[in-house]
Protein backbone atom coordinates (compact mmCIF):
# COMPACT_ATOMS: atom_id res chain seq x y z
CA UNK A 1 0.00 0.00 0.00
CA UNK A 2 1.36 3.44 -0.95
CA UNK A 3 1.43 5.85 2.00
CA UNK A 4 2.35 9.52 2.10
CA UNK A 5 3.42 11.10 5.37
CA UNK A 6 3.83 14.87 5.83
CA UNK A 7 5.85 16.23 8.75
CA UNK A 8 5.73 19.98 9.18
CA UNK A 9 6.90 22.26 11.94
CA UNK A 10 9.25 25.11 12.82
CA UNK A 11 13.01 25.12 12.32
CA UNK A 12 15.06 22.63 14.32
CA UNK A 13 12.06 20.78 15.79
CA UNK A 14 13.76 17.47 14.96
CA UNK A 15 11.60 16.73 11.92
CA UNK A 16 14.38 15.39 9.71
CA UNK A 17 15.87 13.16 12.44
CA UNK A 18 12.46 11.58 13.05
CA UNK A 19 11.47 11.42 9.38
CA UNK A 20 14.76 9.74 8.40
CA UNK A 21 14.43 7.10 11.11
CA UNK A 22 10.75 6.38 10.38
CA UNK A 23 11.58 6.08 6.67
CA UNK A 24 14.38 3.63 7.45
CA UNK A 25 12.20 1.42 9.67
CA UNK A 26 9.21 1.39 7.30
CA UNK A 27 11.15 1.30 4.02
CA UNK A 28 9.73 4.63 2.82
CA UNK A 29 11.59 7.28 0.82
CA UNK A 30 12.60 10.29 2.90
CA UNK A 31 12.37 13.68 1.20
CA UNK A 32 14.00 16.66 2.93
CA UNK A 33 12.35 19.67 1.27
CA UNK A 34 14.27 22.13 3.46
CA UNK A 35 17.48 20.85 1.85
CA UNK A 36 16.11 21.97 -1.52
CA UNK A 37 15.50 25.55 -0.31
CA UNK A 38 18.93 25.47 1.30
CA UNK A 39 20.61 24.28 -1.91
CA UNK A 40 18.92 27.09 -3.86
CA UNK A 41 20.14 29.58 -1.23
CA UNK A 42 23.67 28.19 -1.48
CA UNK A 43 23.56 28.70 -5.24
CA UNK A 44 22.44 32.34 -4.94
CA UNK A 45 25.25 33.03 -2.48
CA UNK A 46 27.74 31.22 -4.69
CA UNK A 47 26.70 33.49 -7.55
CA UNK A 48 27.06 36.55 -5.33
CA UNK A 49 23.35 37.36 -5.58
CA UNK A 50 21.76 39.16 -2.61
CA UNK A 51 19.26 36.68 -1.07
CA UNK A 52 16.95 39.59 -0.20
CA UNK A 53 16.68 40.52 -3.89
CA UNK A 54 13.68 38.47 -5.04
CA UNK A 55 13.93 39.35 -8.73
CA UNK A 56 17.64 38.47 -8.95
CA UNK A 57 17.20 35.19 -7.04
CA UNK A 58 14.19 34.08 -9.09
CA UNK A 59 16.10 34.85 -12.29
CA UNK A 60 18.44 31.97 -11.38
CA UNK A 61 15.65 29.34 -11.51
CA UNK A 62 16.41 28.15 -15.07
CA UNK A 63 20.02 27.40 -14.20
CA UNK A 64 19.41 25.43 -11.00
CA UNK A 65 19.05 21.64 -10.75
CA UNK A 66 18.71 20.11 -7.31
CA UNK A 67 18.91 16.38 -6.65
CA UNK A 68 18.35 14.53 -3.39
CA UNK A 69 20.16 11.19 -3.29
CA UNK A 70 18.74 8.34 -1.16
CA UNK A 71 21.93 8.36 0.96
CA UNK A 72 21.24 11.97 2.04
CA UNK A 73 23.64 13.59 -0.42
CA UNK A 74 22.33 16.89 -1.83
CA UNK A 75 23.52 17.95 -5.26
CA UNK A 76 23.15 21.40 -6.74
CA UNK A 77 24.06 21.42 -10.41
CA UNK A 78 25.89 18.14 -9.67
CA UNK A 79 28.05 19.73 -6.96
CA UNK A 80 27.86 18.01 -3.56
CA UNK A 81 26.59 20.73 -1.20
CA UNK A 82 25.42 18.43 1.62
CA UNK A 83 27.68 20.05 4.20
CA UNK A 84 27.65 23.64 2.95
CA UNK A 85 23.85 23.94 3.09
CA UNK A 86 23.93 23.42 6.89
CA UNK A 87 26.32 26.31 7.49
CA UNK A 88 24.94 29.28 9.51
CA UNK A 89 25.43 31.64 6.52
CA UNK A 90 22.96 29.52 4.51
CA UNK A 91 20.57 29.05 7.47
CA UNK A 92 20.55 32.83 7.94
CA UNK A 93 19.38 33.48 4.37
CA UNK A 94 17.20 30.49 3.51
CA UNK A 95 13.95 31.96 4.83
CA UNK A 96 14.21 34.81 2.30
CA UNK A 97 14.61 32.35 -0.56
CA UNK A 98 11.76 30.20 0.78
CA UNK A 99 9.45 33.22 0.79
CA UNK A 100 9.69 33.75 -3.00
CA UNK A 101 6.66 32.33 -4.76
CA UNK A 102 8.38 31.43 -8.05
CA UNK A 103 11.12 29.49 -6.27
CA UNK A 104 8.52 27.68 -4.16
CA UNK A 105 6.48 26.72 -7.24
CA UNK A 106 9.64 25.46 -8.95
CA UNK A 107 10.60 23.25 -5.98
CA UNK A 108 7.05 22.17 -5.01
CA UNK A 109 6.55 20.79 -8.50
CA UNK A 110 9.59 18.52 -8.03
CA UNK A 111 8.47 17.53 -4.52
CA UNK A 112 5.04 16.45 -5.78
CA UNK A 113 6.63 14.38 -8.53
CA UNK A 114 8.86 12.62 -6.03
CA UNK A 115 5.81 11.60 -4.00
CA UNK A 116 3.96 10.10 -6.96
CA UNK A 117 5.61 6.71 -7.19
CA UNK A 118 6.66 5.52 -3.74
CA UNK A 119 5.62 5.65 -0.12
CA UNK A 120 7.26 8.82 1.13
CA UNK A 121 7.82 10.71 4.30
CA UNK A 122 8.39 14.35 3.47
CA UNK A 123 9.31 17.08 5.94
CA UNK A 124 9.07 20.85 5.60
CA UNK A 125 6.76 23.74 6.45
CA UNK A 126 3.91 23.45 3.95
CA UNK A 127 3.78 19.74 3.14
CA UNK A 128 0.42 18.97 4.77
CA UNK A 129 -1.14 22.30 3.86
CA UNK A 130 0.11 22.83 0.31
CA UNK A 131 2.52 20.29 -1.23
CA UNK A 132 0.59 17.13 -0.33
CA UNK A 133 -2.81 18.25 0.98
CA UNK A 134 -4.11 14.68 0.60
CA UNK A 135 -1.27 13.07 2.57
CA UNK A 136 -2.43 9.99 4.49
CA UNK A 137 -0.74 11.11 7.70
CA UNK A 138 0.05 14.69 8.76
CA UNK A 139 2.21 15.47 11.75
CA UNK A 140 2.92 18.96 13.10
CA UNK A 141 6.10 18.58 15.11
CA UNK A 142 6.91 21.35 17.57
CA UNK A 143 9.23 22.11 20.51
CA UNK A 144 10.12 25.22 22.50
CA UNK A 145 12.57 27.71 20.94
CA UNK A 146 15.14 26.94 23.65
CA UNK A 147 14.94 23.18 23.08
CA UNK A 148 15.20 23.61 19.32
CA UNK A 149 18.20 25.93 19.58
CA UNK A 150 20.09 23.46 21.80
CA UNK A 151 19.28 20.58 19.43
CA UNK A 152 20.48 22.48 16.35
CA UNK A 153 23.59 23.71 18.19
CA UNK A 154 24.53 20.14 19.22
CA UNK A 155 23.90 18.91 15.67
CA UNK A 156 26.12 21.62 14.14
CA UNK A 157 28.93 21.01 16.62
CA UNK A 158 28.83 17.27 15.95
CA UNK A 159 29.16 18.02 12.24
CA UNK A 160 32.10 20.35 12.86
CA UNK A 161 30.08 23.48 11.94
CA UNK A 162 31.22 26.39 14.10
CA UNK A 163 28.49 28.43 15.82
CA UNK A 164 27.34 29.76 19.19
CA UNK A 165 24.12 28.85 20.99
CA UNK A 166 23.07 32.52 20.99
CA UNK A 167 23.57 32.74 17.22
CA UNK A 168 21.45 29.61 16.70
CA UNK A 169 18.66 30.80 19.01
CA UNK A 170 18.46 34.14 17.21
CA UNK A 171 18.40 32.36 13.85
CA UNK A 172 15.61 30.01 14.99
CA UNK A 173 13.48 32.96 16.21
CA UNK A 174 14.07 34.91 13.01
CA UNK A 175 13.19 31.92 10.81
CA UNK A 176 10.07 31.13 12.85
CA UNK A 177 8.90 34.67 12.18
CA UNK A 178 9.68 34.78 8.45
CA UNK A 179 8.44 31.22 7.78
CA UNK A 180 5.09 31.84 9.46
CA UNK A 181 4.50 35.37 8.14
CA UNK A 182 5.24 34.96 4.42
CA UNK A 183 2.30 35.41 2.02
CA UNK A 184 2.62 32.20 0.05
CA UNK A 185 2.27 28.78 1.78
CA UNK A 186 3.38 29.95 5.24
CA UNK A 187 4.22 27.60 8.09
CA UNK A 188 1.00 26.55 9.76
CA UNK A 189 -0.60 23.44 11.17
CA UNK A 190 -2.97 21.66 8.76
CA UNK A 191 -6.49 21.28 10.17
CA UNK A 192 -6.18 17.48 9.99
CA UNK A 193 -2.65 17.21 11.41
CA UNK A 194 -1.68 15.59 14.70
CA UNK A 195 0.41 18.01 16.77
CA UNK A 196 3.38 16.45 18.57
CA UNK A 197 5.15 18.63 21.13
CA UNK A 198 8.53 16.94 21.39
CA UNK A 199 10.09 19.30 23.97
CA UNK A 200 10.16 16.53 26.56
CA UNK A 201 10.25 13.49 24.29
CA UNK A 202 13.26 11.47 23.18
CA UNK A 203 13.82 10.83 19.47
CA UNK A 204 12.87 7.18 19.99
CA UNK A 205 9.58 8.19 21.64
CA UNK A 206 8.69 10.49 18.76
CA UNK A 207 9.65 7.86 16.16
CA UNK A 208 7.47 5.24 17.85
CA UNK A 209 4.56 7.68 18.13
CA UNK A 210 4.75 8.56 14.43
CA UNK A 211 4.92 4.87 13.46
CA UNK A 212 1.88 4.21 15.67
CA UNK A 213 -0.07 6.98 13.89
CA UNK A 214 0.97 5.61 10.49
CA UNK A 215 -0.05 2.06 11.46
CA UNK A 216 -3.46 3.29 12.63
CA UNK A 217 -3.93 4.97 9.26
CA UNK A 218 -2.88 1.82 7.38
CA UNK A 219 -5.37 -0.25 9.41
CA UNK A 220 -8.13 2.23 8.54
CA UNK A 221 -7.21 2.17 4.85
CA UNK A 222 -7.20 -1.65 4.87
CA UNK A 223 -10.67 -1.66 6.42
CA UNK A 224 -11.98 0.72 3.75
CA UNK A 225 -10.63 -1.38 0.87
O1 LIG B 1 13.92 22.43 7.64
P1 LIG B 1 15.09 23.36 7.31
O2 LIG B 1 15.58 24.15 8.49
O3 LIG B 1 16.18 22.67 6.60
O4 LIG B 1 14.43 24.41 6.28
C1 LIG B 1 15.18 25.48 5.77
C2 LIG B 1 14.28 26.65 5.45
O5 LIG B 1 13.51 26.35 4.29
C3 LIG B 1 13.30 27.05 6.54
O6 LIG B 1 13.69 28.23 7.20
C4 LIG B 1 12.00 27.29 5.83
C5 LIG B 1 12.17 26.77 4.46
N1 LIG B 1 11.29 25.69 4.08
C6 LIG B 1 10.05 26.03 3.57
O7 LIG B 1 9.70 27.20 3.53
N2 LIG B 1 9.23 25.06 3.12
C7 LIG B 1 9.59 23.78 3.18
N3 LIG B 1 8.76 22.85 2.72
C8 LIG B 1 10.83 23.42 3.73
C9 LIG B 1 11.66 24.41 4.20
Amino acid sequence: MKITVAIDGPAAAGKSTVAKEVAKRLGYTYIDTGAMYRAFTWYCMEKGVDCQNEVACCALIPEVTIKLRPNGIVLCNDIDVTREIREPRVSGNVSYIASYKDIRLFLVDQQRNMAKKHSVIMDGRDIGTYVLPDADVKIFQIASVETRAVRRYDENISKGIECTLEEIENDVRKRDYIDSHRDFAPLRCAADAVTLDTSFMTVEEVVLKVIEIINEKIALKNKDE
Side-chain angles (χ1 to χ4, degrees):
M1 182 186 297
K2 187 173 150 306
I3 294 285
T4 46
V5 182
I7 303 193
D8 290 302
K15 302 180 298 292
S16 63
T17 307
V18 168
K20 245 181 259 172
E21 189 55 31
V22 172
K24 196 167 110 191
R25 294 191 197 180
L26 300 183
Y28 295 177
T29 301
Y30 166 56
I31 300 168
D32 177 357
T33 63
M36 300 172 81
Y37 292 96
R38 286 172 178 272
F40 202 108
T41 305
W42 173 85
Y43 188 74
C44 295
M45 296 178 86
E46 208 45 30
K47 282 274 171 179
V49 170
D50 176 3
C51 291
Q52 295 191 50
N53 182 337
E54 178 168 0
V55 174
C57 291
C58 292
L60 298 178
I61 291 173
E63 54 189 88
V64 176
T65 306
I66 294 164
K67 292 180 200 149
L68 303 180
R69 293 276 180 248
N71 57 1
I73 299 291
V74 181
L75 301 174
C76 182
N77 292 353
D78 292 325
I79 300 167
D80 184 345
V81 294
T82 316
R83 190 178 179 287
E84 287 79 355
I85 62 170
R86 303 290 159 196
E87 286 174 357
R89 68 188 183 104
V90 172
S91 301
N93 278 300
V94 64
S95 282
Y96 301 119
I97 298 299
S99 70
Y100 303 149
K101 187 175 177 184
D102 289 350
I103 294 176
R104 295 200 75 81
L105 292 176
F106 169 64
L107 296 178
V108 165
D109 191 45
Q110 297 172 36
Q111 292 157 11
R112 287 184 177 147
N113 279 331
M114 289 182 212
K116 269 187 190 149
K117 286 189 201 137
H118 311 281
S119 287
V120 296
I121 178 156
M122 191 180 278
D123 78 340
R125 304 292 187 285
D126 59 340
I127 311 305
T129 53
Y130 184 73
V131 182
L132 304 173
D134 297 325
D136 297 299
V137 173
K138 297 182 187 178
I139 308 284
F140 197 68
Q141 189 171 330
I142 57 172
S144 68
V145 172
E146 293 75 17
T147 305
R148 290 186 282 133
V150 170
R151 285 180 187 166
R152 184 53 53 92
Y153 173 79
D154 289 346
E155 187 187 329
N156 281 1
I157 296 299
S158 73
K159 285 180 182 163
I161 296 171
E162 269 184 49
C163 58
T164 65
L165 184 57
E166 194 190 359
E167 189 181 29
I168 298 293
E169 194 170 319
N170 287 338
D171 173 63
V172 164
R173 284 185 199 281
K174 179 180 120 182
R175 285 205 286 147
D176 280 358
Y177 184 85
I178 302 178
D179 293 345
S180 51
H181 285 82
R182 64 176 178 237
D183 291 335
F184 187 67
L187 166 68
R188 62 186 168 78
C189 180
D192 50 351
V194 176
T195 299
L196 278 186
D197 185 342
T198 68
S199 302
F200 302 104
M201 289 172 87
T202 64
V203 171
E204 182 62 15
E205 284 169 341
V206 185
V207 167
L208 291 178
K209 185 71 198 166
V210 172
I211 291 177
E212 184 189 314
I213 296 168
I214 294 172
N215 283 336
E216 279 168 11
K217 184 69 197 197
I218 292 174
L220 270 180
K221 275 185 108 172
N222 275 331
K223 228 166 100 187
D224 289 346
E225 275 171 11

